[in-house]
């Protein structure tokens, strides 16, 4: 029996690649967020370090970069180098409802706006 090991950003990328259903992909992102929250502050940055392989959808690749940059900023750290080039040319609003999209336009964290992913900060906190 092996011990518990928290999901890393690279692990999340691999799991997203294997999951084709959008709902499953979001569940994986929320699972990563939950595991990340439970790790001690000194361990959290190490979960962001390794670059995930491309998911096969540039939107999800940009989301991973935005999430890593957002979480690194909480520790007052520079984003991992691998996040630098994962920026969308056209903005992505994952929310389905117009009101949610409007909220995301106003409340998306800076790292997400930078990468072209418009996800509301409240959506991240709810995860």
């Amino acid at each position: 029996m092996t011990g518990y090991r928290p999901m890393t950003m690279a692990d999340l990328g691999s799991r997203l690649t294997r999951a084709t259903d959008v709902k499953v992909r979001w569940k994986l992102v929320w699972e990563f967020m939950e595991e990340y929250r439970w790790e001690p502050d000194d361990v959290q940055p190490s979960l962001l370090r390794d670059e995930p392989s491309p998911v096969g959808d540039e939107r999800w690749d940009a989301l991973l970069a935005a999430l890593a940059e957002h979480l690194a900023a909480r520790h007052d750290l520079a984003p991992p180098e691998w996040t630098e080039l994962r920026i969308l040319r056209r903005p992505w609003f994952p929310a389905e409802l117009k009101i949610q999209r409007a909220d995301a336009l106003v409340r998306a964290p800076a790292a997400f706006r930078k990468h072209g992913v418009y996800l509301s900060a409240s959506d991240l906190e709810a995860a």
Side-chain angles (χ1 to χ4, degrees), residues 100 103-105 107-109 118-125:
Q100 291 173 308
D103 184 52
L105 188 61
R107 299 184 63 206
Y118 286 84
L119 188 65
S120 174
S122 61
D123 290 335
L124 291 171
E125 296 306 318

Side-chain angles (χ1 to χ4, degrees), residues 70-113:
H70 176 72
L71 294 173
R74 287 184 174 180
H75 290 279
D76 201 24
L77 297 172
E81 286 184 27
W82 63 264
T83 65
E84 189 174 317
L85 298 177
R86 294 183 181 210
I87 297 174
L88 296 173
R89 291 185 190 138
R90 286 187 58 198
W92 177 37
F93 291 83
E96 294 177 12
L97 301 175
K98 286 184 181 181
I99 190 74
Q100 291 173 308
R101 291 179 181 189
D103 184 52
L105 188 61
V106 173
R107 299 184 63 206
F112 284 82
R113 288 192 312 269

Side-chain angles (χ1 to χ4, degrees), residues 15-124:
R15 292 178 185 185
L16 291 174
T17 301
R18 292 190 303 270
T20 56
D21 182 82
V22 173
K23 289 182 181 181
V24 172
R25 283 185 166 187
W26 283 113
K27 287 179 183 180
L28 290 169
V29 171
W30 304 149
E31 181 182 334
F32 170 82
M33 293 288 293
E34 185 66 19
E35 290 183 19
Y36 181 88
R37 282 189 190 114
W38 281 98
E39 289 303 308
D41 285 349
D42 61 327
V43 172
Q44 289 176 344
S46 70
L47 302 178
L48 310 173
R49 186 176 325 127
D50 295 333
E51 180 174 10
S53 298
V55 173
D57 183 327
E58 67 179 0
R59 298 172 305 171
W60 289 90
D61 292 335
L63 181 128
L64 292 177
L67 182 58
E69 186 168 331
H70 176 72
L71 294 173
R74 287 184 174 180
H75 290 279
D76 201 24
L77 297 172
E81 286 184 27
W82 63 264
T83 65
E84 189 174 317
L85 298 177
R86 294 183 181 210
I87 297 174
L88 296 173
R89 291 185 190 138
R90 286 187 58 198
W92 177 37
F93 291 83
E96 294 177 12
L97 301 175
K98 286 184 181 181
I99 190 74
Q100 291 173 308
R101 291 179 181 189
D103 184 52
L105 188 61
V106 173
R107 299 184 63 206
F112 284 82
R113 288 192 312 269
K114 173 185 169 185
H115 289 276
V117 179
Y118 286 84
L119 188 65
S120 174
S122 61
D123 290 335
L124 291 171

